[in-house]
Amino acid sequence: MKLAEFNSADPAAAQAILRPCIDVSRWVEAVAGARPYANRDGLLAFAAKAASPFTPAEVEAAMAHHPRIGERPTAAGTEASMSRSEQAGVDPADTAVADALARGNREYEEKFGRVFLIRAAGRRSQDILAALDQRLTNSPEEEDSIVAQQLREIAVLRLEGVISE
């Protein structure tokens, strides 16, 4: 969608465009409510600022929509489509990596009580696996901060893919 179209969309339509980027109502309302944006860079900068910080409750709500790394969502919605695209670097045919990711996902969920989240876009499966293994050594507090940062990056990258100049 062109920035001009986003700027002129009614509030409900603008929010619907933003929600697949990250389903955090405060963020969606803030970004939609700050329109019009002079340019795409201004929109992305505002979106990043509005996402910092996400509260623990916002992180928990947003995490409910994220699939496990290596498990591509089968739903038909925009958010599921974005997730499939972001995980394109994870080759499900590479059984060694798929098995290692499944093991790491289980360990991560046992330790932290949520799915492992990483901005997968632009990362190879080996890089994701290395990050997963490293993050398993983190404390819950360290991991909370990292997850919130990853959500911010995902939201802005998704928005960047949705809105063009």
Side-chain angles (χ1 to χ4, degrees):
M1 164 177 277
K2 297 283 187 190
L3 178 64
E5 295 172 85
F6 176 70
N7 279 338
S8 64
D10 70 65
Q15 290 180 16
I17 291 161
L18 294 167
R19 197 159 305 282
C21 296
I22 188 163
D23 194 3
V24 172
S25 294
R26 177 192 56 78
W27 182 84
V28 168
E29 292 165 9
V31 174
R35 294 172 305 141
Y37 294 95
N39 54 49
R40 187 167 169 256
D41 288 343
L43 165 63
L44 297 173
F46 183 88
K49 183 177 178 185
S52 186
F54 284 135
T55 67
E58 290 170 335
V59 169
E60 184 177 334
M63 291 292 293
H65 300 282
H66 284 274
R68 288 178 182 92
I69 291 293
E71 294 179 10
R72 297 219 171 97
T74 57
T78 303
E79 187 173 4
S81 176
M82 289 174 169
S83 184
R84 281 190 294 274
S85 175
E86 292 161 358
Q87 288 199 42
V90 179
D91 180 5
D94 186 339
T95 56
V97 170
D99 290 347
L101 284 172
R103 173 205 42 82
N105 281 330
R106 281 191 305 276
E107 289 178 26
Y108 186 93
E109 289 173 32
E110 288 171 12
K111 181 171 182 176
F112 297 110
R114 64 176 167 234
V115 299
F116 171 70
L117 179 83
I118 189 167
R119 179 194 43 79
R123 290 189 165 126
R124 299 174 309 127
S125 55
Q126 295 83 358
D127 299 330
I128 293 169
L129 183 56
L132 173 56
D133 289 339
Q134 186 282 316
R135 285 176 51 191
L136 281 166
T137 67
N138 290 343
S139 70
E141 295 76 21
E142 290 169 320
E143 198 56 23
D144 287 348
S145 175
I146 292 169
V147 168
Q149 177 60 36
Q150 294 299 300
L151 280 170
R152 284 188 288 278
E153 290 179 23
I154 290 167
V156 173
L157 280 172
R158 286 180 174 182
L159 182 57
E160 192 173 356
V162 171
I163 305 293
S164 63
E165 237 5 285

